[in-house]
Amino acid sequence: MTALSARLISMIRTRFAPSPTGYLHIGGARTALYAWAYARKHGGQFILRVEDTDQERSSEASVQAILDSMTWLGLDWDEGPIFQMDRLSRYREIAEVLVDSGNAYWCYATPEELTKMREEQRKMGVKPRYDGRWRPENAADLVPPEDVTPVLRFKNPDSGDVAWDDLVKGVITVSNTELDDFVLLRGDGTPTYNFGVVVDDHDMNLTHVIRGDDHVNNTPRQINVYRALGYELPAFGHVPMILGDDGERLSKRHGAVSVMHYRDQGFLPDAVLNYLARLGWSHGDDEIFSRDQFLEWFDLEHVNRSPAKFDATKLSWTNGEHINLADDELLADLVRANPGGQDIIWEDGPNLSDLIKLLKDRATSLNDLADSVLMFFREVQISQDDRLKFLTPDIKPALIHFTESLQGIEWGRPEIAGCIKMSLTEFQLKMPQLAMPLRLLLTGQTQTPAIDAIIELVGRDRMLARLHAGLSEL
Ligand code: GLU
């Protein structure tokens, strides 16, 4: 069987390989989403690998934050998390292979020596790069100093090009003269990113490497290592960066960029997924879609080649659309689970999912939705301004008339609307003149959905109690 036919029949395997040096941010989540979606769409497998060899910057808490964020977004993995620090002996084994085949060598140059080398190169107007001083052909007369722990360097080819057909960016060609002999193993025995990633992507049988395009410069180095080891290359797809609205690379400076922040602010995971999917990829004019639709439509051909701009307003809008489409019972469960730290007796108010049906088209987050729902369960609080403006003594007779008219009716929206109409006619009022005081007395708010719908939901007993309480203060 040829290598090509083996590839054609092999299962698609992608991975997400975060470095646990902070929370999972929007950019990382989108990279993970595309890699995950590519595997899921093709019935393949998705692997989670934690690149934790930078011991100074990696932390347990970051690992947990990444796992939590992925779980919340529903980006499930088939294997992992695999930790690079558990695989150190494997990197050393492959390092030996490279040494034995003449593709790697130990370099005893000290950091001070290398800094000096770069300064001199800069002075001479050449690009600073390792000059190959410990390459075997240059180091025949050098004696390895005993007090220096060496690093292992890759002997990069001196000539020729490295080219690959990037699944997002098309053909990319880099000349080997641009690349220097980079470090494979640090003095402490840990692999550098460019080495660990090749060993892992090969050992884990990954067919597609989908990652951020901040790694485009690393890919030719990695391809050279693949070749030196005789490994088959995976396909590479580099996804453009996400920028802030000022065109700079997205960072904390641009506000909230952590996935968990959006969970805490009442975003639905499917809405964040939808927004991230659209951020740099499109399917015609479709803006709002479900997870299943996305998986059906996703392809790398429609990933933009240029960077995307993060737009918090559009993310909120997307969330609002998803809330509007979401099942009322599901939303009720989410609101009940997180009522903004308040003790609420849910039985003491209108039916929650009916209320949500009425209120959800105004909400752009679950927290918004919870706020508007809770008005119906808490004691009503009316601001002094609103009281002075809308609850004037001259409206009292109309409110009493309306309250009395409610007593005997069959409880339903048309009947309530009928009572409102009767009071309006009787007192020659316009709708807002009666509706505003009613809104305030029932919810403490001036903006609510249709007042007859609100009254119906609040229920006769609670409604009358609130009206009586309000009226006694007029
Ligand atoms: N650990 C690298 C990062 O977080 C992974 C790059 C890759 O996917 O190869 O950027």
Side-chain angles (χ1 to χ4, degrees):
M1 193 187 316
T2 65
L4 180 65
S5 56
R7 169 60 49 84
L8 286 177
I9 57 167
S10 71
M11 175 186 274
I12 286 189
R13 284 170 59 93
T14 66
R15 80 325 188 254
F16 179 50
S19 305
T21 55
Y23 50 71
L24 182 64
H25 59 82
I26 290 292
R30 193 197 53 170
T31 304
L33 171 63
Y34 288 178
W36 170 83
Y38 197 79
R40 291 286 170 263
K41 184 194 166 94
H42 292 101
Q45 288 175 333
F46 177 62
I47 287 87
L48 177 59
R49 180 172 77 228
V50 179
E51 302 204 326
D52 56 349
T53 60
D54 183 344
Q55 291 282 281
E56 297 264 294
R57 295 176 62 223
S58 299
S59 73
E60 279 281 322
S62 302
V63 172
Q64 199 52 52
I66 292 167
L67 300 185
D68 290 349
S69 302
M70 292 190 56
T71 304
W72 179 70
L73 280 172
L75 305 183
D76 56 335
W77 54 92
D78 302 294
E79 285 169 29
I82 299 165
F83 293 86
Q84 286 193 320
M85 285 306 280
D86 291 342
R87 291 175 43 79
L88 293 184
S89 57
R90 177 66 179 156
Y91 308 124
R92 278 184 216 137
E93 187 185 329
I94 301 301
E96 287 300 328
V97 172
L98 286 168
V99 173
D100 291 349
S101 61
N103 286 297
Y105 61 93
W106 295 102
C107 166
Y108 291 81
T110 60
E112 297 75 36
E113 204 183 321
L114 293 175
T115 308
K116 200 163 144 225
M117 175 193 77
R118 282 190 213 101
E119 270 165 17
E120 278 163 13
Q121 288 168 331
R122 251 182 239 118
K123 261 189 231 148
M124 285 176 1
V126 293
K127 203 166 131 191
R129 51 187 291 175
Y130 179 69
D131 59 5
R133 59 184 65 188
W134 281 93
R135 271 192 173 205
E137 64 262 36
N138 303 333
D141 299 333
L142 295 180
V143 182
E146 273 179 18
D147 56 342
V148 176
T149 314
V151 298
L152 188 69
R153 287 189 184 268
F154 181 63
K155 191 173 163 192
N156 199 76
D158 294 320
S159 57
D161 289 337
V162 187
W164 76 97
D165 191 1
D166 195 273
L167 294 170
V168 177
K169 293 177 178 280
V171 174
I172 299 180
T173 307
V174 178
S175 162
N176 269 320
T177 55
E178 294 290 312
L179 310 171
D180 61 1
D181 290 353
F182 63 94
V183 174
L184 297 169
L185 288 184
R186 303 183 184 101
D188 64 2
T190 56
T192 55
Y193 159 66
N194 275 319
F195 182 43
V197 76
V198 172
V199 176
D200 287 350
D201 286 344
H202 168 77
D203 282 359
M204 295 165 198
N205 290 317
L206 294 163
T207 58
H208 293 72
V209 168
I210 297 167
R211 62 182 164 210
D213 72 356
D214 47 338
H215 289 291
V216 164
N217 290 339
N218 288 318
T219 304
R221 297 173 215 277
Q222 294 172 18
I223 290 179
N224 281 332
V225 178
Y226 274 98
R227 288 191 181 143
L229 288 165
Y231 290 167
E232 194 184 344
L233 287 180
F236 293 98
H238 290 88
V239 184
M241 293 283 94
I242 299 177
L243 306 179
D245 48 13
D246 53 1
E248 295 292 316
R249 194 173 161 172
L250 191 66
S251 71
K252 266 191 191 159
R253 213 155 34 78
H254 296 100
V257 291
S258 135
V259 169
M260 289 322 236
H261 166 88
Y262 289 99
R263 183 197 65 178
D264 298 343
Q265 291 302 307
F267 281 69
L268 292 174
D270 281 16
V272 176
L273 187 135
N274 180 166
Y275 176 74
L276 288 178
R278 269 294 285 116
L279 194 57
W281 167 87
S282 56
H283 180 265
D285 292 333
D286 291 302
E287 288 291 351
I288 300 298
F289 39 80
S290 68
R291 183 178 291 260
D292 288 346
Q293 268 166 340
F294 171 56
L295 287 182
E296 196 177 306
W297 293 337
F298 182 66
D299 58 13
L300 288 169
E301 288 90 81
H302 290 88
V303 170
N304 298 343
R305 289 184 179 198
S306 46
K309 275 196 181 165
F310 182 69
D311 177 349
T313 311
K314 187 169 172 196
L315 173 51
S316 287
W317 172 77
T318 307
N319 198 40
E321 295 295 303
H322 274 264
I323 287 179
N324 219 351
L325 291 170
D327 176 67
D328 300 323
E329 288 294 341
L330 169 89
L331 293 172
D333 286 344
L334 291 170
V335 167
R336 259 189 230 107
N338 191 10
Q342 308 199 30
D343 271 341
I344 302 293
I345 304 170
W346 297 106
E347 295 69 40
D348 265 8
N351 177 285
L352 193 55
S353 51
D354 290 347
L355 188 58
I356 282 173
K357 187 200 271 314
L358 200 62
L359 296 171
K360 69 180 181 179
D361 66 336
R362 289 157 183 258
T364 55
S365 75
L366 285 174
N367 295 11
D368 264 8
L369 186 64
D371 277 351
S372 55
V373 159
L374 293 185
M375 293 300 185
F376 294 85
F377 294 84
R378 282 189 312 228
E379 214 173 293
V380 175
Q381 294 196 355
I382 303 170
S383 77
Q384 195 56 19
D385 276 1
D386 286 339
R387 197 177 281 284
L388 289 174
K389 205 158 151 198
F390 299 112
L391 289 174
T392 50
D394 57 323
I395 197 68
K396 193 169 176 175
L399 286 170
I400 294 173
H401 180 268
F402 174 65
T403 309
E404 280 168 1
S405 71
L406 286 180
Q407 312 269 1
I409 61 163
E410 190 180 319
W411 199 253
R413 195 168 162 181
E415 292 75 14
I416 296 165
C419 293
I420 294 176
K421 222 182 225 147
M422 260 167 32
S423 298
L424 293 180
T425 316
E426 179 76 22
F427 291 86
Q428 304 222 328
L429 297 171
K430 297 227 160 28
M431 186 60 159
Q433 291 172 289
L434 186 61
M436 273 310 193
L438 286 172
R439 284 198 170 96
L440 281 175
L441 291 174
L442 291 178
T443 67
Q445 301 298 305
T446 51
Q447 299 224 334
T448 68
I451 188 65
D452 48 353
I454 293 289
I455 293 173
E456 182 193 19
L457 269 182
V458 170
R460 193 193 318 258
D461 293 346
R462 246 174 285 124
M463 167 74 199
L464 290 176
R466 285 196 169 186
L467 281 182
H468 284 307
L471 284 172
S472 63
E473 285 176 27
L474 268 184

